Amino acid sequence: MKLTGYPPSDKHIYSIFLRSSSSTTKHKPKHHLTTSKLRIPRDRATVQPEINQRMAGEGDDQLKLLGLWVSPYTHRVKLALSFKGLSYEYVEEDLSNKSELLLSTNPVHKKVPVLIHNGKPICESKVIVQYLDEEFPNSGVSLLPSDPYDRAIARFWAAYINDKSSMGKTEEERAEALKQTLEAVSNLETAFKECSKGKPFFGGDTVGYLDVSLGAMIGWMRAGEALHGRRTFDATRSPLLNAWMERFAALDAAKAAMPDNNKLVEFVRVRRAAAANN
């Protein structure tokens, strides 16, 4: 969805507010022991300490997320982790001075988010969300639909949301972006009606893949409203999405993962002021 005030690409994000830091959420991770994950050496005395360590829960399902607090794609992964009830270490990246960890774990795109699971990196927010749902099927809610057709439809609309998530730089480009946003909102209103089947969320009775995909944009929608006085979803043009947004944003798991709206608005104002002075 093309949103006024939407975050810029990597090269346009200033270093303000972007100094590296790290924090850890407090959700309880899911631990599991599978012998397929162990390489069994011939000497049993050698493998026993490793088995004991895994039985103690050490080294299992260690999740680290490299992200950027202004990035809706980072928000998307945070939402998935929150609704899955998974603990993780969060590392804030400075895109003006990318860490060696980011460059080595995402050497193709060199951007966030990157999820590192037990030392193995997974890149791109949609891929990460699907990975989490498949790797941790018994944790939290199931995000992807069980029916193959419904799963394909959810992936289609998630791709659509990504395609529409940009903005213009000039006034003319922003005007065109607003026009396309109205069209996108109309299409997503229809999508919600079809996917939800009259229930509260895209996923039905519980939050699903599309809820997380679109929910990641709520912070920037609200920032755009604060800056320009225009709502992306409203009770007139998109009553279903308007009600959905309020319902989704009120969930505790969503609140825990979404950015502070005032901080986002201030970020945009500082960025614009800096650009005007250049």
Side-chain angles (χ1 to χ4, degrees), residues 35-250:
T35 55
S36 62
K37 288 189 176 181
L38 298 176
R39 291 182 295 174
I40 308 297
R42 294 177 182 177
D43 183 359
R44 180 171 177 78
T46 304
V47 74
Q48 192 61 46
E50 184 179 0
I51 294 175
N52 292 340
Q53 182 188 51
R54 287 178 175 267
M55 290 181 69
E58 298 178 13
D60 285 351
D61 295 332
Q62 292 182 356
L63 295 167
K64 178 181 290 188
L65 175 62
L66 311 183
L68 187 68
W69 75 269
V70 298
S71 165
Y73 306 108
T74 297
H75 303 162
R76 179 177 292 164
V77 177
K78 284 187 172 183
L79 284 168
L81 287 161
S82 186
F83 281 105
K84 297 297 288 182
L86 299 168
S87 67
Y88 63 102
E89 178 186 358
Y90 176 69
V91 178
E92 178 75 6
E93 283 287 334
D94 180 352
L95 296 186
S96 66
N97 184 26
K98 299 177 182 180
S99 71
E100 288 300 320
L101 182 59
L102 174 60
L103 296 175
S104 63
T105 52
N106 191 358
V108 175
H109 297 300
K110 302 178 178 63
K111 64 182 182 180
V112 295
V114 176
L115 181 75
I116 304 173
H117 181 205
N118 291 336
K120 298 178 180 179
I122 304 99
C123 306
E124 298 295 314
S125 63
K126 291 187 299 178
V127 176
I128 294 171
V129 172
Q130 293 179 50
Y131 174 85
L132 288 170
D133 204 42
E134 293 169 352
E135 178 68 12
F136 302 96
N138 300 320
S139 295
V141 300
S142 294
L143 297 174
L144 286 162
S146 57
D147 180 78
Y149 178 77
D150 291 340
R151 199 156 57 240
I153 294 300
R155 285 171 171 153
F156 169 85
W157 284 114
Y160 180 80
I161 292 167
N162 262 32
D163 289 343
K164 301 300 179 181
S165 299
S166 61
M167 66 163 286
K169 297 177 182 178
T170 67
E171 286 300 323
E172 290 182 357
E173 289 174 345
R174 280 193 281 270
E176 179 61 23
L178 178 60
K179 178 182 177 181
Q180 293 188 30
T181 293
L182 296 177
E183 180 183 355
V185 168
S186 176
N187 289 334
L188 287 171
E189 180 83 351
T190 300
F192 180 82
K193 183 176 181 179
E194 294 176 352
C195 294
S196 68
K197 300 178 176 63
K199 295 182 178 179
F201 302 102
F202 279 96
D205 290 318
T206 59
V207 165
Y209 181 56
L210 273 179
D211 296 284
V212 167
S213 295
L214 187 57
M217 310 299 172
I218 290 177
W220 280 98
M221 291 184 203
R222 288 181 166 175
E225 179 183 356
L227 289 163
H228 307 291
R230 291 193 298 265
R231 289 179 64 91
T232 305
F233 302 148
D234 64 39
T236 302
R237 291 193 310 268
S238 51
L240 296 178
L241 288 175
N242 184 61
W244 165 83
M245 184 172 73
E246 298 303 320
R247 199 158 44 235
F248 180 86

